[in-house]
Amino acid sequence: MSKLKLYFVRHGETQYNIEKRMQGFCDSPLTDRGVQQAKAVGAGLASIDFEAVYASESQRVQDTAKFALGEKALPIKTDARLKEMNFGVLESLLQEEIISEHGNILEKIFSMSDIDFKVPKGESFTDLLTRTKAAVDEIIATHKESGGNILIFSHGVTIGYLIMSLAKMETFPHHDNCCVSVISYENDKITVEMAADPSFRDKGMELLSSAN
């Protein structure tokens, strides 16, 4: 049984990221900067051979995966369980709209003082981790015999909470757009090797700018 490494990439910057709208299950397109970030993280990861690619079914993630992979002929396997946390009635609202309509609900969610708390029509952190972990466990089960590197495109809260839980972190590891987290699986043990690292994206930016 060979060592298996899973590389998690958050999607590139989107229109809603710029507008600071709540973006979970709802979607908005990548900005020009988001496209550049996706190409950059792809360039930064280009020296690594990946056995398979998985992605959330959200369009912003699918697009990030396509721009990152570029000419690489790797099929993207879509998994709905890798989607962002569902923010229910808060979806697509501006922060000031959320505060005026729902008070300090964001504080209540992101303080994580109650991981079972969910907004109306939304998910709790417990719900989120249950489905993310199921998807990741399935990916590990599929590839653990052959080992190698697996690329997974997903979302900031989804990746962050998984990493936080696996590494038993006290604070939430904020993932900037196209940051990378890495976990390894060997001898039935999962280890977090890297959390919210911008270096692949930043190295790729340098490579792309020197190529132009």
Side-chain angles (χ1 to χ4, degrees):
M1 192 185 294
S2 308
K3 185 174 184 177
L4 182 66
K5 283 178 88 166
L6 275 52
Y7 289 73
F8 292 87
V9 181
R10 185 192 171 200
H11 62 79
E13 181 188 77
T14 67
Q15 192 57 40
Y16 277 9
N17 289 158
I18 291 180
E19 294 172 15
K20 297 201 169 4
R21 290 184 182 275
M22 206 65 181
Q23 185 177 234
F25 268 37
C26 72
D27 216 350
S28 69
L30 295 180
T31 60
D32 290 346
R33 183 166 181 247
V35 171
Q36 277 307 111
Q37 290 169 333
K39 288 177 178 174
V41 78
L45 292 164
S47 61
I48 301 167
D49 286 326
F50 289 102
E51 307 301 318
V53 182
Y54 293 84
S56 148
E57 63 182 15
S58 296
Q59 195 60 49
R60 62 189 182 273
V61 173
Q62 294 283 320
D63 290 344
T64 299
K66 283 170 190 150
F67 284 118
L69 291 171
E71 301 299 306
K72 284 191 177 177
L74 282 165
I76 300 166
K77 297 171 188 172
T78 304
D79 193 325
R81 295 170 298 180
L82 297 170
K83 281 183 79 166
E84 183 57 293
M85 189 171 186
N86 184 351
F87 296 111
V89 295
L90 309 182
E91 290 282 346
S92 80
L93 295 182
L94 292 164
Q95 286 183 6
E96 51 267 33
E97 291 172 334
I98 293 170
I99 291 163
S100 72
E101 289 175 35
H102 303 279
N104 68 346
I105 196 164
L106 290 181
E107 218 172 279
K108 181 158 187 185
I109 299 167
F110 291 110
S111 69
M112 297 182 187
S113 53
D114 178 6
I115 57 168
D116 292 316
F117 172 75
K118 61 181 92 176
V119 302
K121 299 180 183 165
E123 285 181 296
S124 67
F125 277 105
T126 303
D127 297 333
L128 175 66
L129 185 62
T130 301
R131 66 169 163 84
T132 310
K133 190 85 170 53
V136 170
D137 286 347
E138 204 171 286
I139 291 167
I140 289 171
T142 303
H143 299 280
K144 67 182 183 183
E145 292 305 321
S146 50
N149 304 303
I150 309 297
L151 192 52
I152 302 170
F153 292 91
S154 186
H155 305 260
V157 179
T158 303
I159 301 168
Y161 195 57
L162 175 72
I163 297 297
M164 185 182 178
S165 305
L166 291 175
K168 297 182 171 54
M169 292 176 175
E170 293 292 312
T171 55
F172 184 85
H174 170 72
H175 284 67
D176 195 14
N177 296 108
C178 288
C179 276
V180 178
S181 285
V182 181
I183 66 171
S184 62
Y185 177 88
E186 197 172 22
N187 303 323
D188 294 330
K189 186 170 182 280
I190 292 176
T191 308
V192 174
E193 298 198 353
M194 187 182 284
D197 189 312
S199 65
F200 291 106
R201 179 199 65 198
D202 297 349
K203 177 183 144 198
M205 285 282 187
E206 283 172 28
L207 289 169
L208 293 177
S209 61
S210 63
N212 288 339

